[in-house]
Amino acid sequence: MRHYSLNAPAKINLYLEIIGARADGYHELAMILQSINLADQIDLHAANTQTIRVFCDHPQVPTDESNLAHRAAVLMASNFPTAFSNFGGVDITVKKRIPVAAGLAGGSTNAAAVLVGIDLLWGLGLTQSQLEELGAKLGSDVPFCIGGGTAIATGRGEQLSPLPSLNNMYLVLAKYKSLAVSTPWAYQTYREQFGAEYIKNHQDFTQRTKAVHAAEIVQAIAVQDVEVISHKLHNDLEKVVLPAYPQVLQLRELFAKQPEVLGTMMSGSGPSVFAIVESKQDAETVKEKITVAINDSDLELFVTQTIGHGIQLETRH
């Protein structure tokens, strides 16, 4: 029986700007995405039938057709019916380490791992660009999760421009287990409150996107200047999420008060909040301080760091 295990890293946003509304209903975005070494493990086993099944060790993760990993396998089967017919279905086991509903692309990175894994299982020989094109049909974060590292993402998030890898920047990540923020709600609320400020035409979209490529945070990433990166963090969605979710605001404010913290921000649509520090020791110190200050078993805290890759093969049998 053929089997692949893949490492599927989470991602954070170092920058998220909402530029305007697109004709397809999505938002025109400019983001800087960054992989971190907090990761799920995805095991793929070739099945003897034409079925696709998902298993997961986390009770909040659905294992039916709504799971993005399942949808990724169905997409591969529909795009490569001959391979699906020849090789059969697949059993997908998700060993969940990334917090659920956290704004860390947990579902997207699982789907990315399935695309990569099935490409290997079926011997398709797809390029990264081809896998990213397939991933864009599943969700805006999936293309980035395939290659990972550090990248500017534009359009609705699927158009990627790689940046020099930002490796070994230490982070403390915090998320309340029981707290979830709806991404559609966050964007819709932002549209309602700030839509009058949107850039209106495509030419101006292009100009604004070019400006992001030359932004100070991009220049700081190029030279690995962690202090400047930390000071230039930006997330438009904080404007609507923080007022509506006081626990997220409290986390952010508490991180900001720690002398070891260089910068802090909510990731994506939240509710995860991360803090950048200089060293692993500082990260452990901040983690301990937050644990003592909040003292809530519902709060998860992780020490992690930035990495220069996305989906990676762990084992092959």
Side-chain angles (χ1 to χ4, degrees):
M1 180 178 287
R2 300 180 318 283
H3 165 227
Y4 287 94
S5 283
L6 300 110
N7 185 267
K11 67 89 185 160
I12 57 170
N13 296 75
L14 299 174
Y15 186 92
L16 192 162
E17 181 183 354
I18 299 172
I19 295 174
R22 293 160 53 98
D24 60 9
Y26 288 92
H27 280 87
E28 188 75 17
L29 304 172
M31 301 184 289
I32 298 175
L33 308 179
Q34 175 63 54
S35 299
I36 57 175
N37 69 354
L38 180 62
D40 291 342
Q41 181 180 317
I42 310 298
D43 296 332
L44 283 86
H45 289 265
N48 294 324
T49 63
Q50 300 296 105
T51 57
I52 294 166
R53 299 187 299 177
V54 175
F55 306 90
C56 185
D57 58 359
H58 195 297
Q60 286 180 256
V61 176
T63 55
D64 60 11
E65 290 83 357
S66 67
N67 186 295
L68 206 56
H70 190 286
R71 289 171 52 198
V74 170
L75 179 69
M76 292 295 275
S78 63
N79 275 269
F80 304 99
T82 302
F84 180 53
S85 177
N86 289 341
F87 291 101
V90 61
D91 286 345
I92 303 161
T93 302
V94 180
K95 296 178 181 176
K96 203 73 188 152
R97 303 295 176 264
I98 302 169
V100 175
L104 300 172
S108 295
T109 194
N110 293 171
V114 170
L115 296 179
V116 173
I118 289 180
D119 175 49
L120 294 169
L121 270 178
W122 294 352
L124 298 172
L126 300 177
T127 64
Q128 182 172 320
S129 294
Q130 288 172 315
L131 288 166
E132 288 173 356
E133 191 174 331
L134 288 164
K137 297 178 181 180
L138 296 166
S140 300
D141 284 334
V142 180
F144 170 76
C145 290
I146 291 168
T150 313
I152 295 175
T154 54
R156 58 181 173 86
E158 84 291 1
Q159 297 171 21
L160 301 174
S161 300
L163 292 172
S165 287
L166 184 60
N167 296 326
N168 303 316
M169 183 173 76
Y170 280 95
L171 309 164
V172 185
L173 189 70
K175 197 259 176 183
Y176 284 97
K177 286 181 272 191
S178 63
L179 190 62
V181 176
S182 163
T183 299
W185 169 85
Y187 278 102
Q188 181 58 34
T189 304
Y190 190 91
R191 188 193 300 261
E192 290 167 2
Q193 293 186 16
F194 301 102
E197 302 171 13
Y198 284 1
I199 290 173
K200 302 300 181 186
N201 68 60
H202 186 75
Q203 186 175 353
D204 289 340
F205 282 176
T206 304
Q207 291 301 317
R208 185 67 200 97
T209 299
K210 286 180 180 177
V212 172
H213 281 259
E216 286 181 74
I217 189 170
V218 175
Q219 296 169 12
I221 288 169
V223 295
Q224 310 278 301
D225 190 329
V226 175
E227 193 162 337
V228 173
I229 292 166
S230 302
H231 293 156
K232 297 297 179 181
L233 299 172
H234 177 81
N235 184 349
D236 275 339
L237 290 177
E238 287 190 327
K239 297 176 188 176
V240 295
V241 176
L242 296 184
Y245 291 86
Q247 285 174 294
V248 182
L249 177 60
Q250 179 201 25
L251 273 176
R252 197 189 186 291
E253 290 178 340
L254 195 55
F255 271 139
K257 289 176 182 176
Q258 308 309 313
E260 299 86 359
V261 170
L262 302 173
T264 181
M265 192 173 72
M266 182 182 78
S267 182
S269 58
S272 293
V273 179
F274 65 88
I276 300 174
V277 295
E278 284 188 354
S279 66
K280 186 176 182 180
Q281 183 177 351
D282 283 348
E284 295 289 356
T285 298
V286 171
K287 178 184 175 184
E288 180 61 27
K289 286 182 177 180
I290 302 299
T291 301
V292 171
I294 294 181
N295 190 25
D296 187 342
S297 60
D298 191 45
L299 180 64
E300 292 182 295
L301 287 153
F302 305 86
V303 170
T304 184
Q305 63 193 102
T306 56
I307 55 175
H309 62 80
I311 306 303
Q312 281 197 324
L313 183 64
E314 289 193 342
T315 59
R316 170 185 175 177
H317 300 291

